[in-house]
Amino acid sequence: MKRDKNSLTYADAGVDIDAGNALVDAIKPLVKSTRRSGSDTEIGGFGGLFDLASAGFKDPILVAANDGVGTKLMIAIDAGVHDTVGIDLVAMCVNDLVVQGAEPLFFLDYFATGKLDVEAATAVISGIAKGCQLAGCALIGGETAEMPGMYKNDDYDLAGFSVGAAERGTLLPGEDIGEGDVILGLASSGVHSNGFSLVRKIVEMQNLKWSDPAPFEPNRSLGEALLEPTRIYVKPLLSAIRESGAIKALAHITGGGFTENIPRVLPNHLAAHIELGAISPPKVFGWLSNAGGVSEKEMLRTFNCGIGMVAVIAQDKAEIVQQILEDAGEKVFNLGKITMRESDAVEYSGTLEF
């Protein structure tokens, strides 16, 4: 039968508008679950709204951050586990806001795929909503893009965008960081969302499948264990900042580890002295180091090695801040002190006990 030359549709080109509409209907309850003061979380318009006055701010400075999840997404796609990477997406953005003393207010996501799978996309966005709840921010909008030819059918990519606020004069790092200040570390939940190209290389070298038991956690599959989501530190840190008034600086330990991230919040004349023996790294890091033959130096500049966030506090206030964080459910390590810089911005003593 001869095809009508005027019958070609968008669906024939690989884009399913009906699937997109079905996704919007499926995620409406998830979006509403993130409602907070200042937002209404209604989706479907051309932009999301946020009222700073209703959120309680008087003279706010806005702070913005965006990020992705990296090649950790490839594990989620291959393992068919889609409900946690959305938490990672939120975490990578909001943790970058709180280190500047800002309260995350709202979040937007970008989900791109070759062919829209409504069930998988809903699972991803359920994770985003969960992350927003953990961070206390509202999911006020997003974009779903179905792009056949750009991505393989089952592949998808994520990007996240978040905005926070702090009252003028309260942003971190402060200008009073000095020699003798204490460095506290907050435990990570695992690898978080950095270094996964190396993680996947090691898994490939070991001829493992994502469905195999994790060598470092045999009661879970390798895929599930590696997909443990990034810890969101927002609420405990905001409590510590507001209750103690003693936090001088915070550093989110992402790609580059201590070596690259701590210097970002220090004056040029100061250094961080880290006692590696004070850290209790999760077993996954010992496995990665041993299975991949990765040196300690390389581990420290690639992974968080068990510490996802670092705080700098005056020595006489360190115990108070530690207690607030522990009461909020964080595992806290006393990592070392701020010293005068002689050469490197981060100096290490001891070794990591994997």
Side-chain angles (χ1 to χ4, degrees):
M1 179 182 295
K2 187 176 180 180
R3 185 184 181 91
D4 184 345
K5 67 178 182 179
N6 294 318
S7 68
L8 193 63
T9 67
Y10 209 3
D12 292 327
V15 179
D16 190 340
I17 294 174
D18 292 334
N21 291 334
L23 176 62
V24 171
D25 289 339
I27 66 174
K28 280 182 178 179
L30 300 172
V31 173
K32 285 185 177 180
S33 73
T34 70
R35 185 170 184 170
R36 57 152 291 161
S37 59
S39 75
D40 60 18
T41 67
E42 289 294 330
I43 58 172
F46 289 98
L49 306 177
F50 194 91
D51 184 343
L52 283 165
S54 293
F57 288 91
K58 296 178 174 60
D59 186 16
I61 300 293
L62 294 180
V63 184
N66 71 294
D67 212 332
V69 182
T71 60
K72 188 174 187 177
L73 284 179
M74 297 179 72
I75 300 177
I77 293 165
D78 291 344
V81 179
H82 306 289
D83 60 346
T84 57
V85 289
I87 300 175
D88 288 292
L89 185 68
V90 176
M92 296 305 290
C93 294
V94 297
N95 284 342
D96 278 354
L97 294 180
V98 76
V99 298
Q100 296 175 85
E103 175 187 343
L105 301 176
F106 58 85
F107 189 86
L108 301 100
D109 69 276
Y110 175 76
F111 178 97
T113 184
K115 183 173 178 57
L116 184 58
D117 180 329
V118 174
E119 184 177 356
T122 301
V124 170
I125 295 168
S126 74
I128 293 173
K130 176 65 174 176
C132 287
Q133 292 167 7
L134 291 170
C137 64
L139 178 59
I140 65 169
E143 171 69 10
T144 302
E146 191 173 21
M147 297 189 286
M150 179 69 74
Y151 300 94
K152 290 186 291 186
N153 279 350
D154 294 333
D155 285 354
Y156 58 83
D157 198 8
L158 293 174
F161 311 85
S162 192
V163 171
E167 293 292 356
R168 191 179 303 275
T170 66
L171 289 171
L172 297 177
E175 297 180 355
D176 57 344
I177 303 171
E179 185 179 10
D181 286 344
V182 172
I183 303 170
L184 297 181
L186 280 63
S188 69
S189 57
V191 183
H192 284 185
S193 296
N194 300 100
F196 272 89
S197 294
L198 180 54
V199 171
R200 292 186 301 106
K201 181 68 175 178
I202 293 169
V203 170
E204 180 184 348
M205 289 169 53
Q206 294 294 307
N207 294 313
L208 292 170
K209 300 183 182 128
W210 304 122
S211 58
D212 290 340
F216 51 90
E217 197 174 345
N219 61 330
R220 300 173 78 186
S221 72
L222 180 59
E224 289 174 333
L226 289 173
L227 287 169
E228 182 68 32
T230 305
R231 189 163 182 82
I232 293 176
Y233 299 100
V234 169
K235 291 181 180 180
L237 285 175
L238 286 177
S239 293
I241 290 168
R242 291 165 178 170
E243 291 179 35
S244 74
I247 292 181
K248 297 183 177 185
L250 294 166
H252 185 199
I253 308 304
T254 55
F258 295 140
T259 308
E260 301 293 335
N261 288 291
I262 295 178
R264 295 166 69 178
V265 300
L266 296 180
N268 289 334
H269 67 287
L270 296 177
H273 182 89
I274 303 294
E275 173 51 58
L276 296 177
I279 303 171
S280 297
K283 292 180 180 178
V284 60
F285 295 109
W287 177 75
L288 289 168
S289 178
N290 292 327
V294 184
S295 70
E296 181 180 82
K297 181 179 180 181
E298 189 67 16
M299 291 291 293
L300 285 167
R301 67 191 299 265
T302 304
F303 300 113
N304 67 64
C305 293
I307 301 296
M309 185 71 69
V310 159
V312 178
I313 304 112
Q315 189 170 8
D316 62 346
K317 298 290 183 66
E319 288 187 12
I320 296 171
V321 173
Q322 182 166 347
Q323 190 62 60
I324 294 171
L325 292 170
E326 289 177 344
D327 288 346
E330 297 300 323
K331 187 174 182 180
V332 184
F333 302 90
N334 191 320
L335 299 181
K337 291 186 177 182
I338 299 298
T339 62
M340 297 302 292
R341 186 180 303 189
E342 296 181 1
S343 55
D344 296 332
V346 180
E347 302 166 346
Y348 300 106
S349 60
T351 58
L352 289 169
E353 299 295 333
F354 289 127

